[in-house]
mmCIF file of all heavy atoms in Angstrom:
data_model
loop_
_atom_site.group_PDB
_atom_site.id
_atom_site.type_symbol
_atom_site.label_atom_id
_atom_site.label_comp_id
_atom_site.label_asym_id
_atom_site.label_seq_id
_atom_site.Cartn_x
_atom_site.Cartn_y
_atom_site.Cartn_z
ATOM 1 N N GLN A 76 33.676 144.527 83.642
ATOM 2 C CA GLN A 76 34.533 143.509 84.275
ATOM 3 C C GLN A 76 35.918 144.056 84.634
ATOM 4 O O GLN A 76 36.369 143.834 85.797
ATOM 5 C CB GLN A 76 34.654 142.327 83.268
ATOM 6 C CG GLN A 76 35.395 141.062 83.847
ATOM 7 C CD GLN A 76 34.590 140.441 84.953
ATOM 8 O OE1 GLN A 76 33.384 140.274 84.853
ATOM 9 N NE2 GLN A 76 35.289 140.116 86.066
ATOM 10 N N ALA A 77 36.496 144.823 83.739
ATOM 11 C CA ALA A 77 37.796 145.373 84.006
ATOM 12 C C ALA A 77 37.692 146.375 85.129
ATOM 13 O O ALA A 77 38.578 146.391 86.050
ATOM 14 C CB ALA A 77 38.288 146.135 82.718
ATOM 15 N N PHE A 78 36.690 147.156 85.120
ATOM 16 C CA PHE A 78 36.475 148.132 86.186
ATOM 17 C C PHE A 78 36.323 147.418 87.558
ATOM 18 O O PHE A 78 36.956 147.756 88.546
ATOM 19 C CB PHE A 78 35.226 148.983 85.927
ATOM 20 C CG PHE A 78 35.071 150.091 86.878
ATOM 21 C CD1 PHE A 78 35.912 151.237 86.852
ATOM 22 C CD2 PHE A 78 34.128 150.083 87.885
ATOM 23 C CE1 PHE A 78 35.678 152.271 87.780
ATOM 24 C CE2 PHE A 78 33.908 151.048 88.819
ATOM 25 C CZ PHE A 78 34.724 152.161 88.724
ATOM 26 N N LEU A 79 35.555 146.389 87.515
ATOM 27 C CA LEU A 79 35.289 145.626 88.751
ATOM 28 C C LEU A 79 36.564 145.216 89.420
ATOM 29 O O LEU A 79 36.699 145.308 90.670
ATOM 30 C CB LEU A 79 34.389 144.364 88.464
ATOM 31 C CG LEU A 79 34.242 143.367 89.521
ATOM 32 C CD1 LEU A 79 33.446 143.978 90.699
ATOM 33 C CD2 LEU A 79 33.497 142.143 89.032
ATOM 34 N N GLU A 80 37.500 144.601 88.624
ATOM 35 C CA GLU A 80 38.655 144.018 89.207
ATOM 36 C C GLU A 80 39.429 145.051 89.943
ATOM 37 O O GLU A 80 39.800 144.773 91.112
ATOM 38 C CB GLU A 80 39.479 143.386 88.067
ATOM 39 C CG GLU A 80 38.800 142.055 87.614
ATOM 40 C CD GLU A 80 39.419 141.609 86.229
ATOM 41 O OE1 GLU A 80 40.565 141.989 85.861
ATOM 42 O OE2 GLU A 80 38.739 140.778 85.551
ATOM 43 N N GLU A 81 39.762 146.198 89.319
ATOM 44 C CA GLU A 81 40.598 147.171 90.021
ATOM 45 C C GLU A 81 39.841 147.912 91.125
ATOM 46 O O GLU A 81 40.383 148.163 92.110
ATOM 47 C CB GLU A 81 41.216 148.182 89.032
ATOM 48 C CG GLU A 81 42.299 147.576 88.153
ATOM 49 C CD GLU A 81 43.623 147.356 88.925
ATOM 50 O OE1 GLU A 81 43.850 148.040 89.931
ATOM 51 O OE2 GLU A 81 44.324 146.428 88.575
ATOM 52 N N ALA A 82 38.558 148.170 90.835
ATOM 53 C CA ALA A 82 37.768 148.864 91.781
ATOM 54 C C ALA A 82 37.662 148.097 93.113
ATOM 55 O O ALA A 82 37.710 148.642 94.210
ATOM 56 C CB ALA A 82 36.410 149.195 91.250
ATOM 57 N N SER A 83 37.503 146.765 92.933
ATOM 58 C CA SER A 83 37.462 145.983 94.161
ATOM 59 C C SER A 83 38.714 146.025 94.949
ATOM 60 O O SER A 83 38.707 146.083 96.261
ATOM 61 C CB SER A 83 37.010 144.622 93.691
ATOM 62 O OG SER A 83 37.563 143.590 94.529
ATOM 63 N N LEU A 84 39.856 145.997 94.279
ATOM 64 C CA LEU A 84 41.123 146.128 94.923
ATOM 65 C C LEU A 84 41.170 147.477 95.631
ATOM 66 O O LEU A 84 41.621 147.573 96.823
ATOM 67 C CB LEU A 84 42.277 146.053 93.949
ATOM 68 C CG LEU A 84 42.637 144.637 93.410
ATOM 69 C CD1 LEU A 84 43.662 144.731 92.377
ATOM 70 C CD2 LEU A 84 43.041 143.761 94.548
ATOM 71 N N ALA A 85 40.719 148.488 94.968
ATOM 72 C CA ALA A 85 40.790 149.891 95.507
ATOM 73 C C ALA A 85 39.985 149.911 96.834
ATOM 74 O O ALA A 85 40.537 150.398 97.800
ATOM 75 C CB ALA A 85 40.215 150.828 94.534
ATOM 76 N N LEU A 86 38.789 149.336 96.846
ATOM 77 C CA LEU A 86 38.023 149.434 98.028
ATOM 78 C C LEU A 86 38.635 148.560 99.129
ATOM 79 O O LEU A 86 38.485 148.926 100.314
ATOM 80 C CB LEU A 86 36.588 148.913 97.700
ATOM 81 C CG LEU A 86 35.794 149.904 96.840
ATOM 82 C CD1 LEU A 86 34.350 149.596 96.900
ATOM 83 C CD2 LEU A 86 36.064 151.315 97.085
ATOM 84 N N ASN A 87 39.292 147.518 98.790
ATOM 85 C CA ASN A 87 39.957 146.708 99.788
ATOM 86 C C ASN A 87 41.017 147.572 100.481
ATOM 87 O O ASN A 87 41.175 147.530 101.695
ATOM 88 C CB ASN A 87 40.623 145.440 99.222
ATOM 89 C CG ASN A 87 39.640 144.338 99.116
ATOM 90 O OD1 ASN A 87 38.945 144.060 100.069
ATOM 91 N ND2 ASN A 87 39.625 143.607 97.973
ATOM 92 N N HIS A 88 41.841 148.258 99.665
ATOM 93 C CA HIS A 88 42.875 149.161 100.214
ATOM 94 C C HIS A 88 42.268 150.208 101.110
ATOM 95 O O HIS A 88 42.725 150.514 102.154
ATOM 96 C CB HIS A 88 43.702 149.729 99.119
ATOM 97 C CG HIS A 88 44.739 148.846 98.647
ATOM 98 N ND1 HIS A 88 45.875 148.509 99.409
ATOM 99 C CD2 HIS A 88 44.876 148.169 97.489
ATOM 100 C CE1 HIS A 88 46.663 147.694 98.702
ATOM 101 N NE2 HIS A 88 46.066 147.486 97.521
ATOM 102 N N LEU A 89 41.135 150.714 100.600
ATOM 103 C CA LEU A 89 40.513 151.795 101.333
ATOM 104 C C LEU A 89 40.053 151.275 102.742
ATOM 105 O O LEU A 89 40.218 151.932 103.724
ATOM 106 C CB LEU A 89 39.347 152.306 100.596
ATOM 107 C CG LEU A 89 38.855 153.693 101.000
ATOM 108 C CD1 LEU A 89 40.003 154.704 101.109
ATOM 109 C CD2 LEU A 89 37.758 154.170 100.015
ATOM 110 N N GLU A 90 39.485 150.133 102.688
ATOM 111 C CA GLU A 90 39.009 149.547 103.960
ATOM 112 C C GLU A 90 40.182 149.397 104.948
ATOM 113 O O GLU A 90 40.143 149.602 106.145
ATOM 114 C CB GLU A 90 38.357 148.202 103.686
ATOM 115 C CG GLU A 90 37.202 147.926 104.576
ATOM 116 C CD GLU A 90 36.313 146.713 104.037
ATOM 117 O OE1 GLU A 90 37.039 145.806 103.465
ATOM 118 O OE2 GLU A 90 35.192 146.775 104.138
ATOM 119 N N ARG A 91 41.344 148.900 104.371
ATOM 120 C CA ARG A 91 42.517 148.721 105.195
ATOM 121 C C ARG A 91 43.006 150.126 105.698
ATOM 122 O O ARG A 91 43.492 150.185 106.846
ATOM 123 C CB ARG A 91 43.607 148.067 104.371
ATOM 124 C CG ARG A 91 43.491 146.606 104.340
ATOM 125 C CD ARG A 91 44.735 145.988 105.084
ATOM 126 N NE ARG A 91 46.017 146.137 104.339
ATOM 127 C CZ ARG A 91 46.308 145.461 103.304
ATOM 128 N NH1 ARG A 91 45.466 144.557 102.739
ATOM 129 N NH2 ARG A 91 47.383 145.748 102.672
ATOM 130 N N ALA A 92 42.907 151.060 104.809
ATOM 131 C CA ALA A 92 43.358 152.431 105.196
ATOM 132 C C ALA A 92 42.565 152.882 106.477
ATOM 133 O O ALA A 92 43.130 153.345 107.484
ATOM 134 C CB ALA A 92 43.198 153.466 104.050
ATOM 135 N N ILE A 93 41.261 152.693 106.431
ATOM 136 C CA ILE A 93 40.412 153.066 107.481
ATOM 137 C C ILE A 93 40.773 152.265 108.776
ATOM 138 O O ILE A 93 40.899 152.855 109.863
ATOM 139 C CB ILE A 93 38.883 152.892 107.101
ATOM 140 C CG1 ILE A 93 38.577 153.834 105.964
ATOM 141 C CG2 ILE A 93 37.994 153.081 108.289
ATOM 142 C CD1 ILE A 93 37.306 153.524 105.168
ATOM 143 N N ASP A 94 40.820 151.012 108.572
ATOM 144 C CA ASP A 94 41.172 150.087 109.732
ATOM 145 C C ASP A 94 42.455 150.493 110.381
ATOM 146 O O ASP A 94 42.505 150.721 111.591
ATOM 147 C CB ASP A 94 41.188 148.614 109.251
ATOM 148 C CG ASP A 94 39.902 147.946 109.224
ATOM 149 O OD1 ASP A 94 38.895 148.683 109.523
ATOM 150 O OD2 ASP A 94 39.824 146.825 108.905
ATOM 151 N N ASN A 95 43.513 150.607 109.464
ATOM 152 C CA ASN A 95 44.798 150.974 110.023
ATOM 153 C C ASN A 95 44.801 152.278 110.798
ATOM 154 O O ASN A 95 45.391 152.334 111.916
ATOM 155 C CB ASN A 95 45.835 151.050 108.899
ATOM 156 C CG ASN A 95 46.201 149.672 108.467
ATOM 157 O OD1 ASN A 95 45.723 148.595 108.976
ATOM 158 N ND2 ASN A 95 46.988 149.527 107.437
ATOM 159 N N ALA A 96 44.178 153.305 110.262
ATOM 160 C CA ALA A 96 44.126 154.540 110.876
ATOM 161 C C ALA A 96 43.514 154.440 112.288
ATOM 162 O O ALA A 96 43.983 154.928 113.220
ATOM 163 C CB ALA A 96 43.396 155.570 110.043
ATOM 164 N N GLN A 97 42.441 153.657 112.343
ATOM 165 C CA GLN A 97 41.783 153.512 113.635
ATOM 166 C C GLN A 97 42.612 152.708 114.679
ATOM 167 O O GLN A 97 42.701 153.018 115.822
ATOM 168 C CB GLN A 97 40.360 152.911 113.432
ATOM 169 C CG GLN A 97 39.504 153.872 112.724
ATOM 170 C CD GLN A 97 38.158 153.297 112.311
ATOM 171 O OE1 GLN A 97 37.980 152.050 112.249
ATOM 172 N NE2 GLN A 97 37.179 154.169 111.894
ATOM 173 N N LEU A 98 43.233 151.633 114.097
ATOM 174 C CA LEU A 98 44.138 150.823 114.986
ATOM 175 C C LEU A 98 45.262 151.656 115.452
ATOM 176 O O LEU A 98 45.543 151.596 116.701
ATOM 177 C CB LEU A 98 44.608 149.580 114.257
ATOM 178 C CG LEU A 98 43.542 148.488 113.978
ATOM 179 C CD1 LEU A 98 44.080 147.516 112.989
ATOM 180 C CD2 LEU A 98 43.028 147.892 115.241
ATOM 181 N N VAL A 99 45.921 152.399 114.594
ATOM 182 C CA VAL A 99 47.012 153.168 115.067
ATOM 183 C C VAL A 99 46.531 154.241 116.137
ATOM 184 O O VAL A 99 47.239 154.459 117.071
ATOM 185 C CB VAL A 99 47.624 153.941 113.808
ATOM 186 C CG1 VAL A 99 48.646 154.981 114.277
ATOM 187 C CG2 VAL A 99 48.404 152.922 112.940
ATOM 188 N N SER A 100 45.435 154.825 115.841
ATOM 189 C CA SER A 100 44.970 155.893 116.770
ATOM 190 C C SER A 100 44.606 155.278 118.102
ATOM 191 O O SER A 100 44.584 155.960 119.142
ATOM 192 C CB SER A 100 43.798 156.651 116.198
ATOM 193 O OG SER A 100 42.568 155.969 116.425
ATOM 194 N N ARG A 101 44.343 154.021 118.177
ATOM 195 C CA ARG A 101 44.128 153.303 119.486
ATOM 196 C C ARG A 101 45.373 152.649 119.995
ATOM 197 O O ARG A 101 45.356 151.954 120.979
ATOM 198 C CB ARG A 101 42.992 152.335 119.303
ATOM 199 C CG ARG A 101 41.612 152.877 118.987
ATOM 200 C CD ARG A 101 40.573 151.894 119.386
ATOM 201 N NE ARG A 101 40.669 150.723 118.482
ATOM 202 C CZ ARG A 101 40.005 150.536 117.396
ATOM 203 N NH1 ARG A 101 39.162 151.524 116.976
ATOM 204 N NH2 ARG A 101 40.087 149.404 116.674
ATOM 205 N N GLY A 102 46.488 152.860 119.264
ATOM 206 C CA GLY A 102 47.712 152.249 119.760
ATOM 207 C C GLY A 102 47.845 150.748 119.568
ATOM 208 O O GLY A 102 48.747 150.105 120.092
ATOM 209 N N GLU A 103 46.960 150.192 118.738
ATOM 210 C CA GLU A 103 46.968 148.720 118.593
ATOM 211 C C GLU A 103 47.901 148.277 117.534
ATOM 212 O O GLU A 103 48.409 147.124 117.548
ATOM 213 C CB GLU A 103 45.568 148.244 118.319
ATOM 214 C CG GLU A 103 44.667 148.414 119.536
ATOM 215 C CD GLU A 103 43.289 148.058 119.275
ATOM 216 O OE1 GLU A 103 42.987 147.210 118.350
ATOM 217 O OE2 GLU A 103 42.382 148.606 119.972
ATOM 218 N N ILE A 104 48.184 149.117 116.599
ATOM 219 C CA ILE A 104 49.287 148.846 115.655
ATOM 220 C C ILE A 104 50.039 150.113 115.534
ATOM 221 O O ILE A 104 49.625 151.198 115.992
ATOM 222 C CB ILE A 104 48.844 148.360 114.196
ATOM 223 C CG1 ILE A 104 48.125 149.418 113.523
ATOM 224 C CG2 ILE A 104 47.955 147.102 114.357
ATOM 225 C CD1 ILE A 104 47.816 149.128 112.081
ATOM 226 N N GLY A 105 51.164 150.020 114.883
ATOM 227 C CA GLY A 105 51.929 151.259 114.738
ATOM 228 C C GLY A 105 53.422 150.976 114.754
ATOM 229 O O GLY A 105 53.855 149.813 114.632
ATOM 230 N N ARG A 106 54.180 152.050 115.004
ATOM 231 C CA ARG A 106 55.659 151.938 114.952
ATOM 232 C C ARG A 106 56.138 152.933 116.054
ATOM 233 O O ARG A 106 55.650 154.008 116.156
ATOM 234 C CB ARG A 106 56.122 152.358 113.592
ATOM 235 C CG ARG A 106 57.527 152.800 113.578
ATOM 236 C CD ARG A 106 57.968 153.268 112.280
ATOM 237 N NE ARG A 106 57.929 152.082 111.244
ATOM 238 C CZ ARG A 106 58.357 152.235 110.046
ATOM 239 N NH1 ARG A 106 58.843 153.326 109.581
ATOM 240 N NH2 ARG A 106 58.360 151.221 109.224
ATOM 241 N N LEU A 107 57.097 152.402 116.763
ATOM 242 C CA LEU A 107 57.674 153.273 117.716
ATOM 243 C C LEU A 107 59.251 153.188 117.568
ATOM 244 O O LEU A 107 59.784 152.098 117.571
ATOM 245 C CB LEU A 107 57.354 152.783 119.129
ATOM 246 C CG LEU A 107 57.606 153.759 120.323
ATOM 247 C CD1 LEU A 107 56.641 154.900 120.217
ATOM 248 C CD2 LEU A 107 57.548 153.078 121.600
ATOM 249 N N ILE A 108 59.782 154.351 117.459
ATOM 250 C CA ILE A 108 61.299 154.380 117.270
ATOM 251 C C ILE A 108 61.935 154.712 118.529
ATOM 252 O O ILE A 108 61.661 155.734 119.189
ATOM 253 C CB ILE A 108 61.626 155.433 116.138
ATOM 254 C CG1 ILE A 108 60.838 155.142 114.844
ATOM 255 C CG2 ILE A 108 63.189 155.347 115.884
ATOM 256 C CD1 ILE A 108 61.115 156.150 113.776
ATOM 257 N N VAL A 109 62.642 153.753 119.030
ATOM 258 C CA VAL A 109 63.294 153.832 120.384
ATOM 259 C C VAL A 109 64.777 154.183 120.211
ATOM 260 O O VAL A 109 65.509 153.379 119.549
ATOM 261 C CB VAL A 109 63.101 152.526 121.146
ATOM 262 C CG1 VAL A 109 63.675 152.616 122.508
ATOM 263 C CG2 VAL A 109 61.581 152.170 121.203
ATOM 264 N N GLY A 110 65.209 155.225 120.772
ATOM 265 C CA GLY A 110 66.649 155.555 120.827
ATOM 266 C C GLY A 110 67.211 154.953 122.006
ATOM 267 O O GLY A 110 66.739 155.110 123.093
ATOM 268 N N ILE A 111 68.362 154.239 121.816
ATOM 269 C CA ILE A 111 69.083 153.690 122.963
ATOM 270 C C ILE A 111 70.491 154.122 122.806
ATOM 271 O O ILE A 111 71.092 154.139 121.672
ATOM 272 C CB ILE A 111 68.978 152.122 123.095
ATOM 273 C CG1 ILE A 111 69.428 151.528 121.698
ATOM 274 C CG2 ILE A 111 67.577 151.711 123.314
ATOM 275 C CD1 ILE A 111 69.369 149.983 121.702
#
Side-chain angles (χ1 to χ4, degrees):
Chain A
Q76 185 67 43
F78 185 74
L79 170 65
E80 287 164 20
E81 286 291 330
S83 146
L84 286 176
L86 294 197
N87 275 315
H88 278 289
L89 198 51
E90 217 167 33
R91 276 246 292 285
I93 295 166
D94 276 0
N95 285 356
Q97 293 174 342
L98 288 170
V99 169
S100 82
R101 292 198 299 265
E103 293 173 25
I104 65 170
R106 156 184 297 185
L107 192 73
I108 309 179
V109 182
I111 54 179

